[in-house]
Amino acid sequence: MIRFAVLISGRGSNMTYLADAIKDYNIAAQITVVISNRYCAGITLAQDRGLPTKVINRKNFNTQAEHEAAIAAAIHYHRSKYVFLAGYMAILSGDFVNQFAGQIINIHPSLLPAFKGLNTHQRAIDENAATHGVSVHMVTAALDEGPMIAQASLPLMASDTADSLAARVLQLEHQIYPFVLLGLAKKILSL
């Protein structure tokens, strides 16, 4: 069984799709804990599904290292083999990433290496990209540069706004992240 923690910062939609896929498709996986760096809607959604949750607010710590130590302690306490980042809006330090080397997976709303960082949808529109999409990758100390696991794309439409494109890409995210989890659980995918 794949035991994994999920780190979130917002609405938690990717976390809920992972949780629902485990149930709906009988995936041999378990979300051990949902951790957020602030109270957010995703924590309520996780609690509604009976998932253990922990809010580890960055404001309660003097340094990033102390904050990340608390997150690492929660991950270890729940015996999580993997860490899935699902809209976690903080950059993890190299020390934290190295502690969990090969175990942290991120979903990013662009076809990496294009549009690393934030505002990916507007940047794709501004650059008249033909396609846009989502990437699932291993996390390394360099921002959005880890080895690629899977990508899904869609064409940009002339009518796209940043919001409409974000909504279409989010639909891809909700399909590809459970697909990666299923691949890990069935040992079709190895990291």
Side-chain angles (χ1 to χ4, degrees):
M1 173 171 299
I2 301 290
R3 295 175 54 84
F4 67 103
V6 181
L7 273 59
I8 64 172
S9 293
R11 64 183 178 242
S13 69
N14 277 313
M15 176 272 302
T16 60
Y17 271 80
L18 288 167
D20 292 348
I22 290 168
K23 180 181 171 196
D24 294 345
Y25 302 108
N26 199 26
I27 299 174
Q30 177 186 5
I31 297 176
T32 58
V33 62
V34 176
I35 300 170
S36 181
N37 56 348
R38 60 188 173 131
Y39 185 80
C40 60
I43 289 294
T44 301
L45 291 174
Q47 291 168 342
D48 290 347
R49 285 169 168 70
L51 299 171
T53 61
K54 189 148 183 80
V55 176
I56 304 175
N57 195 316
R58 171 64 176 93
K59 294 178 183 177
N60 297 335
F61 297 87
N62 293 323
T63 66
Q64 180 179 1
E66 290 174 359
H67 181 240
E68 289 180 346
I71 293 170
I75 292 167
H76 289 304
Y77 175 81
H78 289 278
R79 298 180 297 119
S80 308
K81 178 174 171 77
Y82 293 102
V83 178
F84 278 57
L85 305 181
Y88 187 68
M89 298 306 291
I91 296 174
L92 298 168
S93 72
D95 288 340
F96 183 89
V97 171
N98 290 335
Q99 181 180 355
F100 295 98
Q103 298 171 271
I104 306 175
I105 300 169
N106 185 44
I107 189 161
H108 181 76
S110 80
L111 295 172
L112 292 173
F115 311 119
K116 297 175 185 176
L118 301 174
N119 303 314
T120 63
H121 311 301
Q122 187 61 55
R123 288 164 52 207
I125 292 168
D126 291 346
E127 291 191 22
N128 293 318
T131 59
H132 192 51
V134 61
S135 301
V136 178
H137 66 96
M138 299 297 302
V139 174
T140 61
L143 180 67
D144 296 331
E145 285 195 14
M148 199 59 52
I149 298 169
Q151 291 185 306
S153 66
L154 48 75
L156 262 72
M157 298 187 298
S159 61
D160 270 326
T161 64
D163 289 341
S164 69
L165 185 55
R168 293 194 308 124
V169 169
L170 188 60
Q171 291 177 344
L172 290 179
E173 291 180 36
H174 293 163
Q175 295 171 33
I176 198 169
Y177 227 11
F179 175 77
V180 168
L181 177 61
L182 180 63
L184 282 172
K186 290 192 170 280
K187 299 185 183 193
I188 297 166
L189 173 65
S190 63
L191 305 179

PDB file of all heavy atoms in Angstrom, residues 40-64:
ATOM      1  N   CYS A  40      -7.175  26.590   5.617  1.00  0.00           N
ATOM      2  CA  CYS A  40      -7.724  26.806   4.278  1.00  0.00           C
ATOM      3  C   CYS A  40      -8.918  25.874   4.065  1.00  0.00           C
ATOM      4  O   CYS A  40      -9.161  24.952   4.848  1.00  0.00           O
ATOM      5  CB  CYS A  40      -6.646  26.558   3.216  1.00  0.00           C
ATOM      6  SG  CYS A  40      -5.970  24.886   3.219  1.00  0.00           S
ATOM      7  N   ALA A  41      -9.627  26.108   2.981  1.00  0.00           N
ATOM      8  CA  ALA A  41     -10.816  25.314   2.662  1.00  0.00           C
ATOM      9  C   ALA A  41     -10.478  23.833   2.512  1.00  0.00           C
ATOM     10  O   ALA A  41     -11.285  22.961   2.855  1.00  0.00           O
ATOM     11  CB  ALA A  41     -11.477  25.842   1.393  1.00  0.00           C
ATOM     12  N   GLY A  42      -9.293  23.527   1.998  1.00  0.00           N
ATOM     13  CA  GLY A  42      -8.894  22.139   1.807  1.00  0.00           C
ATOM     14  C   GLY A  42      -8.842  21.346   3.104  1.00  0.00           C
ATOM     15  O   GLY A  42      -9.104  20.137   3.110  1.00  0.00           O
ATOM     16  N   ILE A  43      -8.501  21.992   4.201  1.00  0.00           N
ATOM     17  CA  ILE A  43      -8.471  21.305   5.506  1.00  0.00           C
ATOM     18  C   ILE A  43      -9.877  20.838   5.874  1.00  0.00           C
ATOM     19  O   ILE A  43     -10.074  19.703   6.318  1.00  0.00           O
ATOM     20  CB  ILE A  43      -7.863  22.224   6.598  1.00  0.00           C
ATOM     21  CG1 ILE A  43      -6.362  22.379   6.359  1.00  0.00           C
ATOM     22  CG2 ILE A  43      -8.145  21.694   8.000  1.00  0.00           C
ATOM     23  CD1 ILE A  43      -5.533  21.119   6.528  1.00  0.00           C
ATOM     24  N   THR A  44     -10.867  21.699   5.658  1.00  0.00           N
ATOM     25  CA  THR A  44     -12.258  21.311   5.936  1.00  0.00           C
ATOM     26  C   THR A  44     -12.680  20.152   5.043  1.00  0.00           C
ATOM     27  O   THR A  44     -13.320  19.194   5.512  1.00  0.00           O
ATOM     28  CB  THR A  44     -13.193  22.521   5.742  1.00  0.00           C
ATOM     29  OG1 THR A  44     -12.781  23.564   6.617  1.00  0.00           O
ATOM     30  CG2 THR A  44     -14.638  22.148   6.027  1.00  0.00           C
ATOM     31  N   LEU A  45     -12.326  20.202   3.766  1.00  0.00           N
ATOM     32  CA  LEU A  45     -12.676  19.110   2.851  1.00  0.00           C
ATOM     33  C   LEU A  45     -12.018  17.798   3.293  1.00  0.00           C
ATOM     34  O   LEU A  45     -12.639  16.736   3.209  1.00  0.00           O
ATOM     35  CB  LEU A  45     -12.255  19.460   1.427  1.00  0.00           C
ATOM     36  CG  LEU A  45     -13.037  20.574   0.741  1.00  0.00           C
ATOM     37  CD1 LEU A  45     -12.426  20.912  -0.610  1.00  0.00           C
ATOM     38  CD2 LEU A  45     -14.500  20.174   0.582  1.00  0.00           C
ATOM     39  N   ALA A  46     -10.779  17.864   3.735  1.00  0.00           N
ATOM     40  CA  ALA A  46     -10.092  16.659   4.216  1.00  0.00           C
ATOM     41  C   ALA A  46     -10.782  16.116   5.462  1.00  0.00           C
ATOM     42  O   ALA A  46     -11.011  14.903   5.578  1.00  0.00           O
ATOM     43  CB  ALA A  46      -8.625  16.973   4.500  1.00  0.00           C
ATOM     44  N   GLN A  47     -11.128  16.991   6.393  1.00  0.00           N
ATOM     45  CA  GLN A  47     -11.809  16.559   7.609  1.00  0.00           C
ATOM     46  C   GLN A  47     -13.165  15.946   7.291  1.00  0.00           C
ATOM     47  O   GLN A  47     -13.568  14.952   7.903  1.00  0.00           O
ATOM     48  CB  GLN A  47     -11.950  17.737   8.582  1.00  0.00           C
ATOM     49  CG  GLN A  47     -10.624  18.175   9.154  1.00  0.00           C
ATOM     50  CD  GLN A  47     -10.681  19.506   9.880  1.00  0.00           C
ATOM     51  OE1 GLN A  47     -11.624  20.302   9.714  1.00  0.00           O
ATOM     52  NE2 GLN A  47      -9.658  19.779  10.679  1.00  0.00           N
ATOM     53  N   ASP A  48     -13.877  16.520   6.311  1.00  0.00           N
ATOM     54  CA  ASP A  48     -15.173  15.974   5.894  1.00  0.00           C
ATOM     55  C   ASP A  48     -15.040  14.553   5.355  1.00  0.00           C
ATOM     56  O   ASP A  48     -15.987  13.773   5.405  1.00  0.00           O
ATOM     57  CB  ASP A  48     -15.820  16.853   4.818  1.00  0.00           C
ATOM     58  CG  ASP A  48     -16.304  18.191   5.356  1.00  0.00           C
ATOM     59  OD1 ASP A  48     -16.364  18.361   6.596  1.00  0.00           O
ATOM     60  OD2 ASP A  48     -16.606  19.079   4.530  1.00  0.00           O
ATOM     61  N   ARG A  49     -13.854  14.220   4.823  1.00  0.00           N
ATOM     62  CA  ARG A  49     -13.589  12.870   4.301  1.00  0.00           C
ATOM     63  C   ARG A  49     -12.980  11.960   5.368  1.00  0.00           C
ATOM     64  O   ARG A  49     -12.582  10.846   5.078  1.00  0.00           O
ATOM     65  CB  ARG A  49     -12.669  12.954   3.083  1.00  0.00           C
ATOM     66  CG  ARG A  49     -13.395  13.434   1.852  1.00  0.00           C
ATOM     67  CD  ARG A  49     -12.442  13.772   0.721  1.00  0.00           C
ATOM     68  NE  ARG A  49     -13.157  13.965  -0.529  1.00  0.00           N
ATOM     69  CZ  ARG A  49     -13.946  14.982  -0.800  1.00  0.00           C
ATOM     70  NH1 ARG A  49     -14.132  15.927   0.090  1.00  0.00           N
ATOM     71  NH2 ARG A  49     -14.563  15.083  -1.961  1.00  0.00           N
ATOM     72  N   GLY A  50     -12.839  12.456   6.578  1.00  0.00           N
ATOM     73  CA  GLY A  50     -12.298  11.650   7.662  1.00  0.00           C
ATOM     74  C   GLY A  50     -10.783  11.502   7.619  1.00  0.00           C
ATOM     75  O   GLY A  50     -10.233  10.592   8.257  1.00  0.00           O
ATOM     76  N   LEU A  51     -10.104  12.388   6.886  1.00  0.00           N
ATOM     77  CA  LEU A  51      -8.654  12.307   6.784  1.00  0.00           C
ATOM     78  C   LEU A  51      -7.997  13.069   7.927  1.00  0.00           C
ATOM     79  O   LEU A  51      -8.475  14.137   8.316  1.00  0.00           O
ATOM     80  CB  LEU A  51      -8.184  12.896   5.452  1.00  0.00           C
ATOM     81  CG  LEU A  51      -8.694  12.207   4.197  1.00  0.00           C
ATOM     82  CD1 LEU A  51      -8.341  13.019   2.955  1.00  0.00           C
ATOM     83  CD2 LEU A  51      -8.123  10.800   4.097  1.00  0.00           C
ATOM     84  N   PRO A  52      -6.900  12.534   8.472  1.00  0.00           N
ATOM     85  CA  PRO A  52      -6.164  13.288   9.495  1.00  0.00           C
ATOM     86  C   PRO A  52      -5.627  14.583   8.893  1.00  0.00           C
ATOM     87  O   PRO A  52      -5.163  14.596   7.748  1.00  0.00           O
ATOM     88  CB  PRO A  52      -5.006  12.361   9.873  1.00  0.00           C
ATOM     89  CG  PRO A  52      -5.391  11.010   9.375  1.00  0.00           C
ATOM     90  CD  PRO A  52      -6.298  11.232   8.205  1.00  0.00           C
ATOM     91  N   THR A  53      -5.699  15.660   9.643  1.00  0.00           N
ATOM     92  CA  THR A  53      -5.222  16.951   9.154  1.00  0.00           C
ATOM     93  C   THR A  53      -4.320  17.609  10.188  1.00  0.00           C
ATOM     94  O   THR A  53      -4.417  17.329  11.381  1.00  0.00           O
ATOM     95  CB  THR A  53      -6.389  17.912   8.846  1.00  0.00           C
ATOM     96  OG1 THR A  53      -7.131  18.144  10.049  1.00  0.00           O
ATOM     97  CG2 THR A  53      -7.303  17.353   7.771  1.00  0.00           C
ATOM     98  N   LYS A  54      -3.477  18.485   9.688  1.00  0.00           N
ATOM     99  CA  LYS A  54      -2.607  19.258  10.571  1.00  0.00           C
ATOM    100  C   LYS A  54      -2.320  20.592   9.894  1.00  0.00           C
ATOM    101  O   LYS A  54      -1.875  20.630   8.753  1.00  0.00           O
ATOM    102  CB  LYS A  54      -1.316  18.510  10.835  1.00  0.00           C
ATOM    103  CG  LYS A  54      -0.453  19.139  11.898  1.00  0.00           C
ATOM    104  CD  LYS A  54       0.312  18.065  12.652  1.00  0.00           C
ATOM    105  CE  LYS A  54       1.128  18.632  13.778  1.00  0.00           C
ATOM    106  NZ  LYS A  54       0.384  18.920  14.969  1.00  0.00           N
ATOM    107  N   VAL A  55      -2.612  21.677  10.597  1.00  0.00           N
ATOM    108  CA  VAL A  55      -2.257  23.005  10.134  1.00  0.00           C
ATOM    109  C   VAL A  55      -0.974  23.397  10.856  1.00  0.00           C
ATOM    110  O   VAL A  55      -0.942  23.460  12.085  1.00  0.00           O
ATOM    111  CB  VAL A  55      -3.369  24.036  10.396  1.00  0.00           C
ATOM    112  CG1 VAL A  55      -2.921  25.430   9.976  1.00  0.00           C
ATOM    113  CG2 VAL A  55      -4.653  23.632   9.673  1.00  0.00           C
ATOM    114  N   ILE A  56       0.077  23.609  10.079  1.00  0.00           N
ATOM    115  CA  ILE A  56       1.377  24.005  10.631  1.00  0.00           C
ATOM    116  C   ILE A  56       1.683  25.378  10.044  1.00  0.00           C
ATOM    117  O   ILE A  56       2.294  25.501   8.988  1.00  0.00           O
ATOM    118  CB  ILE A  56       2.467  22.963  10.300  1.00  0.00           C
ATOM    119  CG1 ILE A  56       2.037  21.578  10.798  1.00  0.00           C
ATOM    120  CG2 ILE A  56       3.807  23.370  10.911  1.00  0.00           C
ATOM    121  CD1 ILE A  56       2.985  20.455  10.418  1.00  0.00           C
ATOM    122  N   ASN A  57       1.205  26.398  10.721  1.00  0.00           N
ATOM    123  CA  ASN A  57       1.262  27.766  10.209  1.00  0.00           C
ATOM    124  C   ASN A  57       2.676  28.318  10.300  1.00  0.00           C
ATOM    125  O   ASN A  57       3.293  28.315  11.359  1.00  0.00           O
ATOM    126  CB  ASN A  57       0.294  28.653  10.989  1.00  0.00           C
ATOM    127  CG  ASN A  57       0.032  29.962  10.293  1.00  0.00           C
ATOM    128  OD1 ASN A  57       0.941  30.613   9.785  1.00  0.00           O
ATOM    129  ND2 ASN A  57      -1.237  30.353  10.266  1.00  0.00           N
ATOM    130  N   ARG A  58       3.174  28.797   9.180  1.00  0.00           N
ATOM    131  CA  ARG A  58       4.534  29.354   9.112  1.00  0.00           C
ATOM    132  C   ARG A  58       4.710  30.503  10.098  1.00  0.00           C
ATOM    133  O   ARG A  58       5.792  30.703  10.649  1.00  0.00           O
ATOM    134  CB  ARG A  58       4.818  29.815   7.669  1.00  0.00           C
ATOM    135  CG  ARG A  58       6.092  30.604   7.464  1.00  0.00           C
ATOM    136  CD  ARG A  58       7.349  29.769   7.764  1.00  0.00           C
ATOM    137  NE  ARG A  58       8.561  30.494   7.481  1.00  0.00           N
ATOM    138  CZ  ARG A  58       9.242  31.207   8.386  1.00  0.00           C
ATOM    139  NH1 ARG A  58       8.806  31.313   9.617  1.00  0.00           N
ATOM    140  NH2 ARG A  58      10.356  31.819   8.057  1.00  0.00           N
ATOM    141  N   LYS A  59       3.660  31.253  10.356  1.00  0.00           N
ATOM    142  CA  LYS A  59       3.740  32.416  11.249  1.00  0.00           C
ATOM    143  C   LYS A  59       4.075  32.026  12.688  1.00  0.00           C
ATOM    144  O   LYS A  59       4.497  32.877  13.474  1.00  0.00           O
ATOM    145  CB  LYS A  59       2.429  33.195  11.218  1.00  0.00           C
ATOM    146  CG  LYS A  59       2.140  33.845   9.880  1.00  0.00           C
ATOM    147  CD  LYS A  59       0.812  34.550   9.887  1.00  0.00           C
ATOM    148  CE  LYS A  59       0.507  35.128   8.524  1.00  0.00           C
ATOM    149  NZ  LYS A  59      -0.794  35.769   8.459  1.00  0.00           N
ATOM    150  N   ASN A  60       3.880  30.755  13.029  1.00  0.00           N
ATOM    151  CA  ASN A  60       4.144  30.302  14.396  1.00  0.00           C
ATOM    152  C   ASN A  60       5.589  29.878  14.619  1.00  0.00           C
ATOM    153  O   ASN A  60       5.921  29.380  15.694  1.00  0.00           O
ATOM    154  CB  ASN A  60       3.208  29.145  14.756  1.00  0.00           C
ATOM    155  CG  ASN A  60       1.753  29.568  14.753  1.00  0.00           C
ATOM    156  OD1 ASN A  60       1.433  30.737  14.937  1.00  0.00           O
ATOM    157  ND2 ASN A  60       0.856  28.627  14.527  1.00  0.00           N
ATOM    158  N   PHE A  61       6.439  30.055  13.618  1.00  0.00           N
ATOM    159  CA  PHE A  61       7.829  29.619  13.702  1.00  0.00           C
ATOM    160  C   PHE A  61       8.757  30.787  13.383  1.00  0.00           C
ATOM    161  O   PHE A  61       8.437  31.648  12.570  1.00  0.00           O
ATOM    162  CB  PHE A  61       8.082  28.456  12.734  1.00  0.00           C
ATOM    163  CG  PHE A  61       7.269  27.241  13.067  1.00  0.00           C
ATOM    164  CD1 PHE A  61       5.975  27.091  12.565  1.00  0.00           C
ATOM    165  CD2 PHE A  61       7.767  26.249  13.904  1.00  0.00           C
ATOM    166  CE1 PHE A  61       5.210  25.981  12.884  1.00  0.00           C
ATOM    167  CE2 PHE A  61       7.005  25.142  14.227  1.00  0.00           C
ATOM    168  CZ  PHE A  61       5.727  25.009  13.724  1.00  0.00           C
ATOM    169  N   ASN A  62       9.903  30.791  14.034  1.00  0.00           N
ATOM    170  CA  ASN A  62      10.875  31.871  13.823  1.00  0.00           C
ATOM    171  C   ASN A  62      11.571  31.767  12.475  1.00  0.00           C
ATOM    172  O   ASN A  62      11.922  32.781  11.878  1.00  0.00           O
ATOM    173  CB  ASN A  62      11.918  31.885  14.943  1.00  0.00           C
ATOM    174  CG  ASN A  62      11.304  32.279  16.274  1.00  0.00           C
ATOM    175  OD1 ASN A  62      10.431  33.134  16.327  1.00  0.00           O
ATOM    176  ND2 ASN A  62      11.756  31.656  17.345  1.00  0.00           N
ATOM    177  N   THR A  63      11.795  30.528  12.001  1.00  0.00           N
ATOM    178  CA  THR A  63      12.540  30.339  10.757  1.00  0.00           C
ATOM    179  C   THR A  63      11.845  29.324   9.864  1.00  0.00           C
ATOM    180  O   THR A  63      11.032  28.513  10.333  1.00  0.00           O
ATOM    181  CB  THR A  63      13.967  29.823  11.044  1.00  0.00           C
ATOM    182  OG1 THR A  63      13.873  28.503  11.610  1.00  0.00           O
ATOM    183  CG2 THR A  63      14.735  30.752  11.975  1.00  0.00           C
ATOM    184  N   GLN A  64      12.217  29.355   8.600  1.00  0.00           N
ATOM    185  CA  GLN A  64      11.710  28.356   7.663  1.00  0.00           C
ATOM    186  C   GLN A  64      12.166  26.970   8.077  1.00  0.00           C
ATOM    187  O   GLN A  64      11.410  25.997   7.974  1.00  0.00           O
ATOM    188  CB  GLN A  64      12.180  28.662   6.242  1.00  0.00           C
ATOM    189  CG  GLN A  64      11.676  27.647   5.219  1.00  0.00           C
ATOM    190  CD  GLN A  64      12.103  27.953   3.795  1.00  0.00           C
ATOM    191  OE1 GLN A  64      12.808  28.919   3.525  1.00  0.00           O
ATOM    192  NE2 GLN A  64      11.669  27.124   2.868  1.00  0.00           N
TER     193      GLN A  64
END
